[in-house]
Amino acid sequence: MEFDPCDLDEITLTIAVGVDPKTVVPMSGGCVWTGEDVAFTATIQAGLPLDSIEGTAGVTDLTYIDVGTRRVQIFAYKGDSCVAVVDIDGRALQLTMMEKDFSSFCIRLSVAARILVEDI
């Protein structure tokens, strides 16, 4: 069974991410959800070399967390969004969070990514 980035746990989306699962809007390669002070996207794509993220323009505050056997890269992008990227069966799952009160520490996304990736 192929992973569907639009089929994320509703409780996690509500509590950890802070979006309303009912606001889901399909987009190319995934979905976007919104909440009171946050927008969140989950997309999956083939061929994103995870080792190239470090040298990508606009990437700052790159950190790593391990969730089970998967390594998740979390970083701020262009000073206004937080991004988490993880390999799922040879494809790249990208979680992007844009918060009204942006913090380059990306703590909210780190927590959400840990929970969401554990469920995969």
Side-chain angles (χ1 to χ4, degrees):
M1 188 171 106
E2 196 166 276
F3 173 73
D4 179 358
C6 297
D7 188 24
L8 299 177
D9 180 68
E10 289 190 6
I11 293 170
T12 303
L13 286 170
T14 303
I15 296 171
V17 180
V19 295
D20 179 351
K22 292 179 187 72
T23 64
V24 65
V25 176
M27 57 184 267
S28 178
C31 287
V32 61
W33 296 262
T34 55
E36 191 174 311
D37 60 353
V38 65
F40 179 74
T41 64
T43 57
I44 197 152
Q45 53 199 323
L48 178 66
L50 300 180
D51 57 354
S52 70
I53 290 173
E54 238 174 279
T56 302
V59 170
T60 58
D61 300 291
L62 177 64
T63 60
Y64 302 89
I65 60 171
D66 291 321
V67 180
T69 59
R70 293 190 170 102
R71 171 150 280 198
V72 182
Q73 297 181 20
I74 299 175
F75 52 91
Y77 186 67
K78 294 191 176 181
D80 67 359
S81 59
C82 290
V83 180
V85 180
V86 62
D87 182 276
I88 304 291
D89 302 326
R91 299 181 303 153
L93 170 63
Q94 179 174 310
L95 306 172
T96 305
M97 184 178 282
M98 292 161 284
E99 294 181 271
K100 189 170 125 185
D101 298 321
F102 173 75
S103 165
S104 65
F105 292 112
C106 299
I107 292 169
R108 189 172 179 180
L109 180 60
S110 295
V111 171
R114 183 176 300 276
I115 296 167
L116 291 167
V117 172
E118 275 179 3
D119 286 346
I120 296 172

